[in-house]
Amino acid sequence: MNFNLTFIGQMIAFAVFIYLTMKFIWPPIMEAIAERQKQIEDGLAQADRAKRDLELAQESATDQLREAKDEAAGIIDAANKRATQIIDEAKESAREEGDRILNAAQAEIEQEFNRAKEELRSKLAELSVAGAEKILESSVDQNAHSDMLNKLAAQL
Amino acid sequence: MAGDTLTQAEYINHHLTNLTYGRFEDGHWGFAHNADDIAEMGVMAFNVDSLGWSIFLGAIFFFLFRGVAKKASSGVPGKMQSVVELAVTFVDDNVKSMFHHKNKMVAPMALTILVWVFFMNFMDLIAIDLLPLLAQKFGQYALGMDPHHVYFKVVPTTDPNITLGMAACVFLLILYYSLTQKGPVGFFKELSMHPFSSNNMVLQVFFMPINLVLELVNLIAKPVSLGLRLFGNLYAGEMIFILIALMYGGGFIIAMFGGALQIIWALFHILIISLQAFIFMVLTIVYMSMAYDTGEDH
C-alpha cells in the first residue's frame, strides 16, 4: 500500500488511453450514431410526407368520385327529361293525327250524308209528284204545284 | 486456498501485497520477495500486478471499442455495436447534461473512465484465489520462484497508486482548464474571493488568506476524495472477499456457509463496482464543468 512509481505509470496510462479514446474511438462511433439518427429522422419525415400525400390523393379521389357522380346524375336527369319530352311529343302528335283522321272521317260522313239527303230529297219530290199524279189520276199542273212540292221537300 | 503452511494472517497479508518490481538499496532492480524488500525499495518500484492488469484491461477496452469504431456503420447495428453504442450514448447523455461547454476531450475521457474503471473493478468478481493461484503455479514451475514470494493482486482499483494516479490526472486537468478558461487572475480570484467577501478593501485583504486556505483545501480535496473513494470501496469489498474466503478452511459446514456468503456478497458487489465506476465518471465531469464555469455564484 505504499506509494511508488505505479502512481506515475497509471497517470501516463490514463493519459494515453484518454488520448486513444479521443482519437480513435469516440469520433467514429458518434459519427455513426449521428448518421443513423439523421437517417431515422429522414425516414420519419418521409413517412409523414407519404402519409400526407396519401391523404391528399384520397381527398382528390373522393372529390373526383363525387364530381363523376354529380355528372352522371345530371346526365341521367337530362336523359329522363328528354325521354318524357319525346313521349309527350309522340303523344301529342298521335293525338293530333287521331283528331285529323277523325275529322276527315266525320267530314266524309257528313258529305256522304248530305249527298244522300240531297238525292233523297230530289227523289222524294219526283216520287211525291208521281204519287199524287197516280192518286188524283189527273194531270197536275207541274208548274202550279212544283212550288208546293219543293216546300214540302225542303221540310224533310 | 493458499496452503496449510499459511496462517490466516499470512493468507490475508499475502493477498494484500503487490507483486513489486523495483530498485533495491544496493542499486540493482528485481522483484521483491517480501514486505521488507518492498519497504526497502520505497518509491522506486512498480506494482507490476496492478499496473499490468490496469494496462491490460485498458487495452481490452481500447481494442474492443476500436474494433466496433472501425466497422461502425449507420445501418442496423450488430450486437457488439449495440452494446458499445449504448455505453457511448449513456456517457454522452451524462456529459451533455452536466457539462455545457465545448470540449472535445471530456466525453471521451468520461467513456474511458466508465469502461476502464468498470473493467478494473470487475476483476474483483473473479474468484479471489483463482488468478493468484495460477500466477503462483506459473511462478513456481515456469520461473522457479518460491511460491510464497509470488504476490498477485488482480484488482487494480484496490491499489491506491492506481486510483490516485487517475485522480491526479483529473486534478491536473482541473488546474489546466481553470487556468486556461479563467486566466491566472480569474483562477486566483476564485480561490481568494470566496466564501468570505466584503466591499471594504481592507476587510477583503484580511479575508483573502482565509479564503485561500479554505479554497485550496477544497481544491486538493477533490482529487484525493475522488481517488480514495474508489480505492476505499474496492479495497473494502476485496477485504470482505478475503475474509469470507478464510471460512473455506473451517470445516465443511462453515465452508458451505462461506460459499453462500461469497455469492451473496458478489451479487451485491456487482452494484458497487458499477456504481463506483459511474461515480468516478460523474465526478470527473462535474469537476471539469466547475473548472470551466466562470463568474458564477459559488
Side-chain angles (χ1 to χ4, degrees):
Chain A
M1 277 233 286
N2 32 12
F3 277 96
N4 52 32
L5 294 177
T6 314
F7 183 79
I8 309 290
Q10 177 69 8
M11 281 179 76
I12 295 167
F14 188 39
V16 169
F17 279 123
I18 291 175
Y19 174 77
L20 290 177
T21 308
M22 197 169 98
K23 200 85 184 166
F24 298 110
I25 292 175
W26 192 262
I29 291 179
M30 282 317 275
E31 208 173 289
I33 291 173
E35 205 176 309
R36 181 165 334 110
Q37 273 174 344
K38 200 180 164 309
Q39 278 177 2
I40 291 171
E41 218 168 84
D42 288 354
L44 287 177
Q46 221 156 21
D48 269 357
R49 216 162 33 238
K51 215 166 113 186
R52 222 173 18 252
D53 283 355
L54 185 68
E55 267 168 24
L56 284 176
Q58 270 172 345
E59 230 165 76
S60 82
T62 37
D63 274 1
Q64 279 179 352
L65 205 65
R66 203 174 42 244
E67 262 173 46
K69 268 184 187 162
D70 286 354
E71 213 171 308
I75 290 170
I76 290 171
D77 271 3
N80 278 340
K81 229 178 267 173
R82 181 88 189 105
T84 41
Q85 200 181 349
I86 288 171
I87 290 169
D88 283 353
E89 276 173 13
K91 272 186 191 162
E92 191 64 30
S93 66
R95 199 167 46 240
E96 272 170 17
E97 185 70 15
D99 282 356
R100 202 171 51 76
I101 291 169
L102 202 63
N103 286 345
Q106 273 176 347
E108 207 172 327
I109 289 166
E110 209 162 317
Q111 217 174 354
E112 206 67 19
F113 177 71
N114 285 343
R115 205 153 46 83
K117 224 161 66 173
E118 279 308 309
E119 214 171 309
L120 263 174
R121 198 179 286 156
S122 61
K123 284 266 172 70
L124 187 66
E126 277 171 35
L127 220 66
S128 312
V129 170
E133 259 176 13
K134 275 191 183 143
I135 295 164
L136 296 175
E137 282 179 352
S138 61
S139 132
V140 177
D141 187 4
Q142 197 90 33
N143 294 327
H145 297 100
S146 69
D147 276 348
M148 189 190 63
L149 283 172
N150 277 344
K151 266 179 208 163
L152 194 67
Q155 276 171 353
L156 288 170
Chain B
M1 284 298 285
D4 303 325
T5 50
L6 285 180
T7 65
Q8 291 187 345
E10 277 169 345
Y11 173 73
I12 294 172
N13 263 328
H14 195 272
H15 259 296
L16 294 182
T17 309
N18 285 106
L19 178 65
T20 312
Y21 181 84
R23 197 182 64 179
F24 288 92
E25 264 181 355
D26 61 8
H28 83 276
W29 287 73
F31 281 102
H33 295 303
N34 47 46
D36 293 338
D37 284 353
I38 295 174
E40 186 186 325
M41 288 168 183
V43 176
M44 293 304 287
F46 289 100
N47 294 340
V48 179
D49 45 4
S50 44
L51 192 59
W53 274 111
S54 158
I55 292 172
F56 175 66
L57 293 167
I60 287 182
F61 153 70
F62 176 71
F63 287 112
L64 212 63
F65 277 56
R66 177 62 187 156
V68 170
K70 255 196 291 198
K71 287 182 292 184
S73 70
S74 55
V76 178
K79 288 193 176 87
M80 195 62 218
Q81 195 181 341
S82 298
V83 172
V84 168
E85 282 184 5
L86 196 69
V88 170
T89 44
F90 173 73
V91 170
D92 195 45
D93 288 346
N94 271 298
V95 170
K96 274 186 183 138
S97 66
M98 282 180 272
F99 185 82
H100 306 289
H101 308 277
K102 257 194 122 52
N103 187 309
K104 274 187 175 164
M105 201 208 66
V106 169
M109 177 168 70
L111 178 70
T112 312
I113 289 171
L114 182 71
V115 182
W116 194 16
V117 171
F118 177 77
F119 280 3
M120 289 196 282
N121 291 352
F122 184 82
M123 297 306 291
D124 218 356
L125 292 180
I126 295 173
I128 186 147
D129 276 321
L130 179 65
L131 292 171
L133 192 69
L134 290 177
Q136 208 166 31
K137 295 296 176 210
F138 180 77
Q140 186 179 358
Y141 296 114
L143 304 177
M145 293 167 77
D146 182 348
H148 292 299
H149 293 166
V150 181
Y151 300 103
F152 206 59
K153 268 180 88 172
V154 293
V155 190
T157 38
T158 57
D159 184 345
N161 284 303
I162 299 292
T163 59
L164 287 169
M166 294 173 86
C169 271
V170 173
F171 182 60
L172 290 181
L173 288 171
I174 292 174
L175 291 183
Y176 174 74
Y177 284 123
S178 291
L179 285 173
T180 51
Q181 293 300 314
K182 298 163 183 160
V185 178
F187 189 39
F188 180 75
K189 265 189 182 168
E190 188 186 86
L191 291 177
S192 57
M193 296 301 187
H194 303 278
F196 302 114
S197 62
S198 166
N199 290 330
N200 187 328
M201 278 298 283
V202 181
L203 214 55
Q204 184 63 52
V205 169
F206 171 70
F207 279 147
M208 270 168 73
I210 302 173
N211 286 336
L212 209 56
V213 168
L214 286 172
E215 285 291 316
L216 277 177
V217 168
N218 192 6
L219 188 68
I220 304 294
K222 283 176 187 170
V224 173
S225 67
L226 186 66
L228 286 184
R229 177 183 300 107
L230 181 60
F231 161 70
N233 274 281
L234 269 293
Y235 188 77
E238 172 91 339
M239 198 68 195
I240 289 173
F241 275 126
I242 293 171
L243 291 177
I244 295 173
L246 280 178
M247 297 174 82
Y248 293 148
F252 181 73
I253 305 284
I254 296 179
M256 291 302 284
F257 182 60
L261 276 184
Q262 197 81 284
I263 291 170
I264 293 169
W265 178 243
L267 288 173
F268 182 61
H269 211 53
I270 293 173
L271 178 69
I272 296 178
I273 61 170
S274 332
L275 200 61
Q276 287 305 321
F278 178 66
I279 288 173
F280 201 102
M281 178 193 83
V282 167
L283 284 177
T284 306
I285 300 169
V286 169
Y287 290 157
M288 290 294 109
S289 180
M290 282 163 76
Y292 261 82
D293 283 340
T294 48
E296 283 186 3
D297 256 4
H298 287 260

